[in-house]
Amino acid sequence: MHKKGGKRKGRKDTARATGICNVRSSEKTVLHFRKTTRDGKKTSYFWFSTTILGSLNLILAASVAFALRSKEHIAELEERQREAEMARQEAELAGLRNSISPHFLLNTLNNIYALAQIDAGRTQSAVLQLSRLLRHILYDNRQEKVSLCSECDFLKDYIDLMKLRMPKNVKVSTVIDIDTDANTTVAPLIFISLVENAFKHGVAAGLPSFVAITVTEDERNIVCRTENSNNPKSSADRSGHGIGLQLVKQRLDALYAGRFTWEKGVSQDNVYYSYLTIKK
């Protein structure tokens, strides 16, 4: 008994010297860290439980799982946002496909009918232009990109049909200078709103007016320039004012971000201008 007691006493002395005591139970293991001053007085105690370590491991594992799940959730949200943006752009494009209003078509048909009584040859040409115009709107522009040549042909047909409606006081000029062998592509209907805007705000009944449209291409850029006499509509005739140009800006931001410049405004001699440059 004396020897056993001596062993226990030796263990206590060792623990006291090292400042560590182990206390075991059926529930947990605790490490007791104790510091003493030189005179043997206790200053502080530090307890560390293996159950706390287990809890920390569980918290860490839960945090990692939560972080991974959050990352997956963010990726899902970003994918949904991309899908929503694509759907919005497609809806805008569908709206542009329908931008040739029934009013325009009705007036064009009436002009063609009147033209048929004067010049049968020009009537046939006008009907063919109208047919190509509708085909381009309804079918050709389902693609993400179309050839610059086909887009310019569409603009020329639209301008020629608009000329049928113009009074003699309106001068319309068109310059198309592109490389037909370059196979350049553009977003469909990207220029039509600019041309529509030039006719809408450049023509005034009884006043000398002009509309000038130019589309050019070089090795680096595609440029669409429109200029027209500045004849703002009255407050009673501003239906849809600015919506077409807003859609153009939104599509340019989405499709040609960082690759386009667009200058527009009214010059000192009261000419409205729009200069759109798209980098290839």
Side-chain angles (χ1 to χ4, degrees), residues 32-259:
H32 174 205
F33 294 85
R34 180 175 58 190
K35 289 184 179 180
T36 58
T37 59
R38 291 181 178 179
D39 57 1
K41 294 182 179 180
K42 299 176 182 180
T43 57
S44 61
Y45 292 91
F46 299 89
W47 295 85
F48 183 76
S49 173
T50 56
T51 56
I52 296 176
L53 178 61
S55 299
L56 291 175
N57 287 334
L58 288 175
I59 293 172
L60 179 60
S63 299
V64 172
F66 178 77
L68 292 175
R69 180 55 186 161
S70 297
K71 185 177 180 180
E72 294 176 357
H73 183 62
I74 292 173
E76 291 175 0
L77 289 178
E78 290 177 348
E79 180 63 23
R80 291 177 183 176
Q81 289 177 349
R82 284 191 293 268
E83 292 176 355
E85 180 64 19
M86 292 177 61
R88 183 184 65 80
Q89 292 179 16
E90 179 58 30
E92 290 176 0
L93 180 56
L96 287 174
R97 291 191 188 106
N98 298 325
S99 63
I100 309 300
S101 66
H103 181 68
F104 164 79
L105 295 176
L106 180 61
N107 285 339
T108 300
L109 290 173
N110 287 335
N111 290 335
I112 292 175
Y113 175 77
L115 188 62
Q117 303 178 32
I118 304 172
D119 190 334
R122 288 186 61 192
T123 301
Q124 292 179 352
S125 176
V127 171
L128 181 60
Q129 287 174 330
L130 180 60
S131 174
R132 290 198 301 258
L133 188 77
L134 295 177
R135 183 175 63 249
H136 188 76
I137 294 171
L138 296 176
Y139 301 111
D140 295 348
N141 289 292
R142 302 292 176 180
Q143 307 172 53
E144 182 180 350
K145 294 289 183 67
V146 297
S147 71
L148 180 60
C149 290
S150 64
E151 194 69 15
C152 288
D153 287 341
F154 168 74
L155 292 178
K156 287 188 290 186
D157 287 336
Y158 176 83
I159 293 168
D160 287 342
L161 289 175
M162 289 296 292
K163 286 180 181 179
L164 296 177
R165 304 172 52 192
M166 295 297 104
K168 294 182 179 180
N169 63 299
V170 180
K171 294 182 178 180
V172 180
S173 63
T174 306
V175 176
I176 305 293
D177 184 12
I178 62 174
D179 186 356
T180 56
D181 296 326
N183 296 321
T184 305
T185 59
V186 293
L189 299 174
I190 197 67
F191 302 128
I192 184 61
S193 290
L194 307 180
V195 176
E196 284 182 320
N197 189 72
F199 278 102
K200 182 176 181 180
H201 299 285
V203 176
L207 296 176
S209 307
F210 80 94
V211 176
I213 297 146
T214 304
V215 180
T216 60
E217 174 190 17
D218 58 29
E219 294 180 355
R220 296 182 177 180
N221 302 311
I222 304 168
V223 181
C224 178
R225 298 166 59 97
T226 64
E227 295 180 347
N228 55 269
S229 46
N230 185 35
N231 297 306
K233 298 297 181 181
S234 64
S235 58
D237 185 21
R238 294 173 69 88
S239 58
H241 178 70
I243 295 177
L245 298 185
Q246 291 176 13
L247 290 177
V248 171
K249 181 62 166 60
Q250 292 173 5
R251 293 190 66 210
L252 288 171
D253 288 336
L255 300 173
Y256 297 102
R259 295 171 50 200

Side-chain angles (χ1 to χ4, degrees), residues 7-17 34:
K7 288 182 179 180
R8 285 196 297 269
K9 183 178 180 182
R11 290 174 183 172
K12 291 181 180 180
D13 292 340
T14 301
R16 189 177 294 110
R34 180 175 58 190

